[in-house]
Amino acid sequence: MNRTSRSIASALVAAGLVLGLGACSEIADEAAKQVDKEVNEQYEVTYEISGKGIDSIDYHVDGGDATKPKIEKVAKPTLPWKKTVKLRGLLPPGVLPIAVDPAGVEMSCKITYQGKVIAEETAKGMAAATGCIAVSPVAG
Protein backbone atom coordinates (compact mmCIF):
# COMPACT_ATOMS: atom_id res chain seq x y z
CA MET A 1 0.00 0.00 0.00
CA ASN A 2 1.45 3.36 -0.94
CA ARG A 3 1.52 6.48 1.19
CA THR A 4 -1.55 8.03 -0.53
CA SER A 5 -3.62 4.88 0.00
CA ARG A 6 -2.64 4.78 3.68
CA SER A 7 -3.56 8.44 4.12
CA ILE A 8 -6.96 7.88 2.52
CA ALA A 9 -7.55 4.75 4.64
CA SER A 10 -6.54 6.64 7.80
CA ALA A 11 -8.84 9.50 6.92
CA LEU A 12 -11.75 7.10 6.34
CA VAL A 13 -11.11 5.33 9.67
CA ALA A 14 -10.92 8.67 11.47
CA ALA A 15 -14.15 9.88 9.81
CA GLY A 16 -15.90 6.63 10.73
CA LEU A 17 -14.70 6.94 14.31
CA VAL A 18 -15.94 10.53 14.57
CA LEU A 19 -19.32 9.59 13.09
CA GLY A 20 -19.59 6.57 15.39
CA LEU A 21 -18.70 8.58 18.47
CA GLY A 22 -21.17 11.25 17.41
CA ALA A 23 -23.93 8.64 17.27
CA CYS A 24 -22.93 7.34 20.72
CA SER A 25 -22.98 10.88 22.04
CA GLU A 26 -26.51 11.38 20.70
CA ILE A 27 -27.67 8.15 22.37
CA ALA A 28 -26.04 9.18 25.66
CA ASP A 29 -27.67 12.62 25.43
CA GLU A 30 -31.11 11.04 24.89
CA ALA A 31 -30.58 8.66 27.83
CA ALA A 32 -29.56 11.59 30.06
CA LYS A 33 -32.67 13.54 29.01
CA GLN A 34 -34.89 10.54 29.85
CA VAL A 35 -33.30 10.16 33.31
CA ASP A 36 -33.69 13.91 33.97
CA LYS A 37 -37.35 13.69 32.94
CA GLU A 38 -38.01 10.74 35.26
CA VAL A 39 -36.13 12.32 38.18
CA ASN A 40 -38.04 15.60 37.91
CA GLU A 41 -41.48 14.35 36.85
CA GLN A 42 -44.22 14.83 39.45
CA TYR A 43 -46.96 12.29 40.01
CA GLU A 44 -49.87 11.83 42.45
CA VAL A 45 -50.76 8.77 44.48
CA THR A 46 -53.53 8.17 46.96
CA TYR A 47 -52.86 6.31 50.21
CA GLU A 48 -55.79 4.53 51.89
CA ILE A 49 -55.83 2.90 55.32
CA SER A 50 -58.75 1.02 56.83
CA GLY A 51 -59.25 -1.22 59.83
CA LYS A 52 -59.49 -0.69 63.58
CA GLY A 53 -57.15 0.19 66.43
CA ILE A 54 -54.54 1.97 64.31
CA ASP A 55 -52.27 4.15 66.45
CA SER A 56 -50.41 6.03 63.71
CA ILE A 57 -49.71 6.24 60.01
CA ASP A 58 -46.37 7.19 58.47
CA TYR A 59 -46.28 8.07 54.75
CA HIS A 60 -43.93 9.41 52.09
CA VAL A 61 -44.44 12.97 50.86
CA ASP A 62 -42.55 15.10 48.35
CA GLY A 63 -39.11 16.01 49.57
CA GLY A 64 -36.02 14.04 50.34
CA ASP A 65 -34.93 11.57 47.71
CA ALA A 66 -35.40 7.98 46.62
CA THR A 67 -32.97 6.66 49.25
CA LYS A 68 -34.15 8.88 52.10
CA PRO A 69 -37.72 10.05 51.54
CA LYS A 70 -39.43 12.72 53.61
CA ILE A 71 -41.98 11.11 55.94
CA GLU A 72 -45.01 12.63 57.62
CA LYS A 73 -46.97 11.07 60.50
CA VAL A 74 -50.58 11.11 61.60
CA ALA A 75 -51.28 10.03 65.20
CA LYS A 76 -54.64 8.45 66.12
CA PRO A 77 -56.11 8.80 62.62
CA THR A 78 -59.83 8.73 61.96
CA LEU A 79 -60.52 5.60 59.91
CA PRO A 80 -60.90 5.00 57.08
CA TRP A 81 -58.05 7.38 56.29
CA LYS A 82 -57.25 8.66 52.81
CA LYS A 83 -54.59 11.08 51.59
CA THR A 84 -53.50 12.15 48.11
CA VAL A 85 -49.92 13.36 47.82
CA LYS A 86 -47.64 14.58 45.06
CA LEU A 87 -44.31 12.84 44.76
CA ARG A 88 -41.40 13.43 42.43
CA GLY A 89 -39.35 11.25 40.15
CA LEU A 90 -37.94 8.02 41.48
CA LEU A 91 -39.25 8.59 45.02
CA PRO A 92 -41.24 5.46 45.93
CA PRO A 93 -44.75 5.89 47.29
CA GLY A 94 -45.05 4.31 50.73
CA VAL A 95 -47.46 4.21 53.66
CA LEU A 96 -47.14 2.39 57.02
CA PRO A 97 -49.99 2.01 59.53
CA ILE A 98 -48.94 0.87 63.04
CA ALA A 99 -51.11 -0.52 65.84
CA VAL A 100 -50.86 -2.31 69.18
CA ASP A 101 -54.11 -3.44 70.82
CA PRO A 102 -54.58 -6.51 73.09
CA ALA A 103 -58.12 -6.86 71.75
CA GLY A 104 -56.75 -7.33 68.27
CA VAL A 105 -56.00 -5.18 65.28
CA GLU A 106 -57.12 -5.31 61.69
CA MET A 107 -55.63 -3.08 59.07
CA SER A 108 -55.14 -2.76 55.37
CA CYS A 109 -53.30 -0.29 53.20
CA LYS A 110 -53.58 0.55 49.55
CA ILE A 111 -51.76 2.86 47.14
CA THR A 112 -53.43 3.93 43.91
CA TYR A 113 -51.97 5.72 40.91
CA GLN A 114 -54.24 7.00 38.14
CA GLY A 115 -57.08 4.85 39.46
CA LYS A 116 -55.05 1.61 39.53
CA VAL A 117 -53.93 -0.15 42.71
CA ILE A 118 -50.13 -0.39 42.67
CA ALA A 119 -49.71 -1.84 46.20
CA GLU A 120 -52.04 -3.45 48.75
CA GLU A 121 -51.46 -5.33 52.04
CA THR A 122 -53.47 -6.56 55.07
CA ALA A 123 -52.52 -7.52 58.66
CA LYS A 124 -54.28 -8.84 61.80
CA GLY A 125 -53.18 -9.56 65.36
CA MET A 126 -52.41 -7.95 68.74
CA ALA A 127 -49.54 -5.93 67.35
CA ALA A 128 -49.56 -5.26 63.68
CA ALA A 129 -47.62 -3.24 61.19
CA THR A 130 -48.16 -3.61 57.54
CA GLY A 131 -46.95 -1.33 54.89
CA CYS A 132 -47.47 -0.62 51.29
CA ILE A 133 -44.58 0.52 49.18
CA ALA A 134 -44.38 0.60 45.42
CA VAL A 135 -41.87 1.42 42.74
CA SER A 136 -42.28 4.94 41.43
CA PRO A 137 -44.79 4.72 38.58
CA VAL A 138 -42.73 7.17 36.49
CA ALA A 139 -39.52 5.12 36.76
CA GLY A 140 -39.09 3.85 33.21
Side-chain angles (χ1 to χ4, degrees):
M1 200 188 295
N2 64 30
R3 185 176 175 123
T4 306
S5 297
R6 277 188 239 156
S7 294
I8 291 172
S10 295
L12 289 173
V13 168
L17 195 56
V18 167
L19 290 173
L21 290 175
C24 287
S25 176
E26 288 175 22
I27 292 169
D29 288 347
E30 281 304 310
K33 286 178 186 175
Q34 183 62 32
V35 168
D36 286 345
K37 178 184 176 224
E38 289 176 4
V39 167
N40 295 314
E41 186 175 347
Q42 280 198 326
Y43 65 95
E44 280 189 353
V45 293
T46 300
Y47 301 132
E48 296 179 63
I49 305 295
S50 60
K52 66 176 188 170
I54 296 174
D55 296 313
S56 65
I57 300 169
D58 292 354
Y59 59 97
H60 293 174
V61 295
D62 196 15
D65 59 40
T67 60
K68 190 170 182 180
K70 182 177 177 185
I71 298 172
E72 290 190 1
K73 182 180 196 115
V74 175
K76 300 290 181 193
T78 301
L79 299 173
W81 178 84
K82 187 175 186 177
K83 176 87 173 179
T84 299
V85 298
K86 283 187 180 181
L87 299 172
R88 179 180 36 84
L90 304 177
L91 182 67
V95 61
L96 175 67
I98 301 170
V100 177
D101 187 341
V105 175
E106 295 176 21
M107 65 173 72
S108 65
C109 64
K110 181 170 30 174
I111 302 172
T112 57
Y113 170 71
Q114 295 183 341
K116 295 180 183 171
V117 176
I118 58 173
E120 188 169 22
E121 296 292 333
T122 302
K124 293 181 181 182
M126 286 179 37
T130 189
C132 290
I133 191 158
V135 172
S136 168
V138 299

